[in-house]
Amino acid sequence: MKKKTNQVCFQSELNVKMTLETLRKRSGITYGEDIPLDRATIVDWALSRLEAWGASAGMEAFKEEERNGRMTVMLGGKVLVIDVDLAIDRTDPEKPTVSVAAVKTSYAIPNVATSSTTQGSASLDGFLAGRVRAFLAEVQKEPREQDSVEAARLGTLCSESLKYLMHLDKLALEEGEGGLRWFSEIDALAQDTERFAVSECQACTLWVDSPVSV
């Protein structure tokens, strides 16, 4: 009787898991991020999310050992390498925190005569750092202030950004020595867009501040 009861419980639990997996895969529906209730586990959980985003994008993930409150998670493609430097504060063991100290990108086309590592773009570094910071800030809020749906949205943005970069990574690899243009041209476009946005903002400010003649 006990064995039969255990089998029924196991089958019931399996059915629930399968149902949840099916619901989560439904397009256009977000059920929220599974932020751990145990605040002491938030750092390890956040690191696992970062690794999972990289894996879903087809990247290799390497996590260095934590030393003196610092840790680096490296996400690597064939050409693109992203180093996420994290600052971890465990002063309160029951409520540790993790934040982004810096993000550094670099590129290298493998199997090329002139192969060398090239420093990545500052704009891409800042963009990725901002995305990860926003996610970490949301999931580390006090439980009553947390928005699991917003956390899931921010996590999806991080994941989609990495997937897009891996598309560029593939194009860069296929093109060989000239392949880095897929990253450099995006960086140039970002800089031009930023300059245009600044000039437009300045023009709008002058227009608002100037007296209106009737």
Side-chain angles (χ1 to χ4, degrees), residues 3-206:
K3 182 177 180 181
K4 184 176 181 180
T5 302
N6 289 338
Q7 289 177 339
V8 171
C9 290
F10 175 77
Q11 186 62 43
S12 177
E13 182 180 351
L14 183 61
N15 289 339
V16 171
K17 287 183 178 180
M18 291 177 64
T19 301
L20 288 174
E21 285 298 318
T22 301
L23 289 173
R24 289 182 184 281
K25 291 177 181 178
R26 292 174 65 187
S27 177
I29 299 178
T30 302
Y31 292 93
E33 190 71 61
D34 294 326
I35 305 172
L37 296 177
D38 184 359
R39 191 62 178 76
T41 66
I42 195 70
V43 172
D44 291 335
W45 175 81
L47 293 174
S48 72
R49 297 304 298 135
L50 186 57
E51 292 176 295
W53 297 334
S56 68
M59 308 180 82
E60 295 288 340
F62 303 93
K63 183 173 61 178
E64 291 185 355
E65 184 179 347
E66 181 182 340
R67 294 182 180 178
N68 301 319
R70 287 299 182 104
M71 175 187 286
T72 297
V73 176
M74 186 182 77
L75 303 175
K78 299 297 184 180
V79 175
L80 173 67
V81 176
I82 304 173
D83 289 327
V84 184
D85 295 329
L86 301 166
I88 301 172
D89 185 353
R90 298 187 186 273
T91 303
D92 183 352
E94 296 184 358
K95 196 176 180 180
T97 61
V98 55
S99 60
V100 177
V103 171
K104 301 174 184 176
T105 54
S106 57
Y107 317 118
I109 301 288
N111 303 321
V112 190
T114 58
S115 178
S116 63
T117 301
T118 304
Q119 185 175 354
S121 72
S123 61
L124 180 56
D125 294 349
F127 172 78
L128 293 174
R131 286 262 156 116
V132 179
R133 283 190 183 115
F135 175 81
L136 293 179
E138 184 62 45
V139 300
Q140 292 182 98
K141 289 180 178 179
E142 293 300 322
R144 291 183 179 180
E145 300 175 358
Q146 287 175 356
D147 185 337
S148 63
V149 174
E150 175 63 8
R153 186 187 72 83
L154 294 169
T156 298
L157 289 177
C158 291
S159 179
E160 289 178 346
S161 296
L162 293 178
K163 288 178 181 178
Y164 176 71
L165 289 173
M166 285 305 290
H167 283 306
L168 299 184
D169 184 89
K170 183 178 180 181
L171 292 171
L173 181 65
E174 291 175 350
E175 197 163 312
E177 289 189 69
L180 293 185
R181 71 183 184 86
W182 289 102
F183 294 103
S184 61
E185 289 178 3
I186 289 291
D187 188 38
L189 178 61
Q191 293 177 8
D192 290 341
T193 303
E194 184 177 354
R195 282 193 291 268
F196 176 74
V198 170
S199 65
E200 288 295 294
C201 181
Q202 292 172 341
C204 289
T205 301
L206 291 173

